[in-house]
Amino acid sequence: MDQFMERAVELSLQNVREGGQPFGAVLVKGGEIIAEGVNELHKVQDVSGHAEMLAIRRAQQELNVDSLAGSIMYASGEPCPMCLSAMYLAGIETAYYCASLEETVQAGLGKSKIIYEDLQKPASERRLSMAQMPLAENQDNPVELWMQRSNKA
C-alpha cells in the first residue's frame, strides 16, 4: 500500500478509536503531505466536517490559495458527493480511496449512496425539492454586479 494511503487509513483508525467514523484523508502535492483530515462529526455539529473537506480547507488556508491543482487526495473511504464536488471545485484531478461505497453502506454509513443515486435523477424527481425564485423588481442582481466589478460584462 502507498505511504499516503497508509497514513489516511491510520488517521481513520485513530478517529474510530476516538469515537468518530472510519474516514481519514491526506492531501499531497509534490510528494509531500500538505494537509490531513478526519471526519469530525462526532466533535462538532457540522455536516461538512468530512475528512476530505477539512484537508482541502486546511490546505487552502495554509497555502493561501483557491486552487489545489496538482494535488492528490488519498481517502480511507470513497468520497461522498459533497467531498467529490469540493475536490472538483478545488482543482484536484486525482484521488485514491480504500473502502468502497458498497463497503461503507454495509457498515451503516450509507447516506452517500442515496445522494449519488438521487443526483442521477432529473431535478424534478429528487428528494430535495428546489425551485428558482426571481429577484424582486427593485433588487440589484448580485451576479450582474459581480460581472461589472470583475470586468466580466
Side-chain angles (χ1 to χ4, degrees):
M1 183 183 291
D2 177 279
Q3 67 178 343
F4 301 120
M5 184 59 79
E6 282 185 24
R7 178 64 181 151
V9 171
E10 286 173 18
L11 289 169
S12 70
L13 288 167
Q14 181 180 352
N15 202 43
V16 170
R17 290 182 186 113
E18 294 174 2
Q21 294 179 339
F23 300 108
V26 174
L27 193 55
V28 175
K29 187 168 186 172
E32 300 289 328
I33 295 174
I34 59 173
E36 298 178 336
V38 296
N39 273 37
E40 294 185 356
L41 303 175
H42 65 295
K43 294 180 181 179
V44 295
Q45 285 59 56
D46 179 359
V47 297
S48 69
H50 288 201
E52 300 90 337
M53 296 286 289
L54 294 173
I56 289 168
R57 281 186 200 141
R58 289 172 181 149
Q60 288 178 320
Q61 290 171 351
E62 179 70 26
L63 300 173
N64 196 31
V65 297
D66 291 329
S67 174
L68 294 172
S71 299
I72 301 171
M73 179 68 75
Y74 293 84
S76 64
E78 188 170 352
C80 74
M82 174 181 62
C83 294
L84 180 63
S85 296
M87 286 188 271
Y88 272 102
L89 293 170
I92 298 168
E93 298 173 11
T94 305
Y96 299 100
Y97 62 89
C98 208
S100 70
L101 181 61
E102 290 74 23
E103 290 175 276
T104 57
V105 166
Q106 288 177 356
L109 301 162
K111 289 182 181 178
S112 292
K113 183 174 192 235
I114 294 167
I115 297 168
Y116 272 123
E117 289 171 352
D118 210 42
L119 289 173
Q120 293 179 32
K121 298 175 185 174
S124 63
E125 295 177 20
R126 293 183 189 153
R127 300 173 89 201
L128 176 63
S129 175
M130 292 178 52
Q132 184 179 14
M133 294 180 72
L135 293 170
E137 284 186 38
N138 60 346
Q139 198 169 21
D140 289 337
N141 185 319
V143 175
E144 288 177 8
L145 180 61
W146 179 84
M147 288 173 54
Q148 292 167 3
R149 293 210 172 163
S150 60
N151 298 318
K152 305 275 185 204

